[in-house]
Amino acid sequence: MTQNPTDEVIDAKIAGVSRDVERIRRMAYYDRRHLPDLVDSLCELAKFRSRKGESDRAERLYREALTHCEESPMPVAPELIFRIHSLLGYHLDSTGKTEEAREHYQQAIGISGRCPALEPAQIGVVHNNLAMIAKQDGRIAGAEEQYRTALRYFSKSGLEADPRVAAVHNNLGVLEYSQRKLEQSRASHEEALRIRLLVHGTDGTHTDLGQSYTNLAAVHKALGNHVAAAGYLTKVAALGTVVLVGNSLTETSRNPGGGPDSSL
């Protein structure tokens, strides 16, 4: 059976990181100063196991990393523990274990106040993910509070043209729309679009732009602004995006909050 190129890349990554894990595991056994390196390599291996579709093996690796920190005879940097909880939370979230994910997200938030080296944006990502779980559970007020908290943390990072900030504005707009807060929803989606145009350019064709145009079309339609709605749908058509505009808007998915190494 022939593997596709992506599978081959992931298999190669798994093989290389697995060797690193075993090497660093031996080093950490004799010298606990190598514990952060072991945790990093375990999280890296877990990431690729997850992408391979081996969710149980990935979860065990994240939990092993957490156990090493909890049982360490030496103090462990709180930023490291934040990272594991946020990554494990994201992994559980992506596999449908939302209640367990919420617990780990909350533990990450709980320790974030002791993490001076942490980028505020990393905390913002976790709040966004907690907001999406809250909305899924029907806790609308809690979801809105989490989205607004996420935006405050992104603001502290001084980020402007960042797709993650646009995603939070988009998700908040979807939530506001569901409560028929149409003018607030319009403002949130316009801010999401403003940032996405900075990121992708006015002539961009990214699907995020299609999402914003679609959502703004739905909001304007609900407001009775049919000309404006039609204008946004024209922009969607120009992108070649197939959309259905009805009574719901599309959210932007969750993001890992563990740091810059969260992508292949």
Side-chain angles (χ1 to χ4, degrees), residues 12-24 26 45:
K13 292 283 188 180
I14 287 174
V17 179
S18 293
R19 289 192 294 270
D20 288 340
V21 166
E22 293 311 311
R23 175 179 59 82
I24 300 171
R26 289 192 295 271
L45 182 56

Side-chain angles (χ1 to χ4, degrees), residues 10 31 128 142 201 217 238:
I10 292 177
D31 187 347
N128 174 75

Side-chain angles (χ1 to χ4, degrees), residues 211-225:
Q211 182 187 59
S212 285
Y213 293 144
T214 301
N215 290 348
L216 279 164
V219 172
H220 280 285
K221 180 180 178 182
L223 285 166
N225 302 331

Side-chain angles (χ1 to χ4, degrees), residues 7 9 15 26 30 40 80-83 86 88 90 97 102 125 153 184 197 204 212-213 217 222 246 257 262:
D7 288 338
V9 169
R26 289 192 295 271
Y30 293 104
D40 282 341
L80 193 59
I81 301 174
F82 172 93
R83 178 171 180 247
S86 60
L88 177 54
Y90 175 73
K97 299 178 180 179
R102 183 180 63 82
V125 166
Y153 275 103
Q184 291 174 254
L197 288 171
S212 285
Y213 293 144
S262 56

Side-chain angles (χ1 to χ4, degrees), residues 3 6-7 9-22 25 40-64 90-91 94-95 261-264:
Q3 289 185 304
T6 302
D7 288 338
V9 169
I10 292 177
D11 284 344
K13 292 283 188 180
I14 287 174
V17 179
S18 293
R19 289 192 294 270
D20 288 340
V21 166
E22 293 311 311
R25 197 195 301 276
D40 282 341
S41 60
L42 287 168
C43 289
E44 186 78 356
L45 182 56
K47 174 184 70 178
F48 292 118
R49 289 290 186 195
S50 180
R51 292 185 179 179
K52 179 76 172 176
E54 300 172 348
S55 60
D56 289 343
R57 296 180 76 175
E59 182 177 339
R60 286 197 296 271
L61 288 163
Y62 282 128
R63 293 193 184 282
E64 180 188 345
Y90 175 73
H91 175 74
S94 65
T95 56
D261 65 338
S262 56
S263 60
L264 180 62

Side-chain angles (χ1 to χ4, degrees), residues 13-233:
K13 292 283 188 180
I14 287 174
V17 179
S18 293
R19 289 192 294 270
D20 288 340
V21 166
E22 293 311 311
R23 175 179 59 82
I24 300 171
R25 197 195 301 276
R26 289 192 295 271
M27 293 167 60
Y29 179 81
Y30 293 104
D31 187 347
R32 299 304 287 174
R33 287 177 297 179
H34 292 289
L35 176 64
D37 297 325
L38 176 59
V39 168
D40 282 341
S41 60
L42 287 168
C43 289
E44 186 78 356
L45 182 56
K47 174 184 70 178
F48 292 118
R49 289 290 186 195
S50 180
R51 292 185 179 179
K52 179 76 172 176
E54 300 172 348
S55 60
D56 289 343
R57 296 180 76 175
E59 182 177 339
R60 286 197 296 271
L61 288 163
Y62 282 128
R63 293 193 184 282
E64 180 188 345
L66 193 58
T67 298
H68 282 304
C69 290
E70 292 172 342
E71 296 180 352
S72 173
M74 299 172 60
V76 176
E79 288 85 356
L80 193 59
I81 301 174
F82 172 93
R83 178 171 180 247
I84 303 169
H85 278 301
S86 60
L87 288 174
L88 177 54
Y90 175 73
H91 175 74
L92 293 166
D93 205 352
S94 65
T95 56
K97 299 178 180 179
T98 53
E99 183 57 31
E100 291 180 71
R102 183 180 63 82
E103 292 174 2
H104 285 284
Y105 285 147
Q106 288 179 333
Q107 288 187 69
I109 294 300
I111 201 172
S112 63
R114 297 191 284 116
C115 300
L118 205 62
E119 284 292 326
Q122 292 176 261
I123 305 173
V125 166
V126 177
H127 279 291
N128 174 75
N129 295 352
L130 278 167
M132 297 188 78
I133 291 177
K135 185 194 174 192
Q136 182 178 315
D137 292 344
R139 294 180 283 110
I140 303 303
E144 182 172 349
E145 180 182 358
Q146 292 285 0
Y147 282 136
R148 296 194 184 281
T149 301
L151 289 173
R152 286 197 296 273
Y153 275 103
F154 278 115
S155 177
K156 290 178 182 179
S157 289
L159 298 172
E160 176 64 11
D162 190 303
R164 296 172 300 177
V165 182
V168 181
H169 282 291
N170 178 83
N171 293 346
L172 178 58
V174 172
L175 186 73
E176 291 164 337
Y177 180 92
S178 72
Q179 300 174 80
R180 309 308 290 175
K181 297 178 180 178
L182 298 180
E183 287 295 346
Q184 291 174 254
S185 178
R186 178 188 59 77
S188 293
H189 285 297
E190 286 178 347
E191 181 63 10
L193 176 59
R194 184 188 70 80
I195 296 170
R196 286 170 170 174
L197 288 171
L198 288 175
V199 173
H200 303 295
T202 55
D203 296 324
T205 58
H206 197 277
T207 54
D208 282 354
L209 293 172
Q211 182 187 59
S212 285
Y213 293 144
T214 301
N215 290 348
L216 279 164
V219 172
H220 280 285
K221 180 180 178 182
L223 285 166
N225 302 331
H226 298 290
V227 173
Y232 282 114
L233 288 179

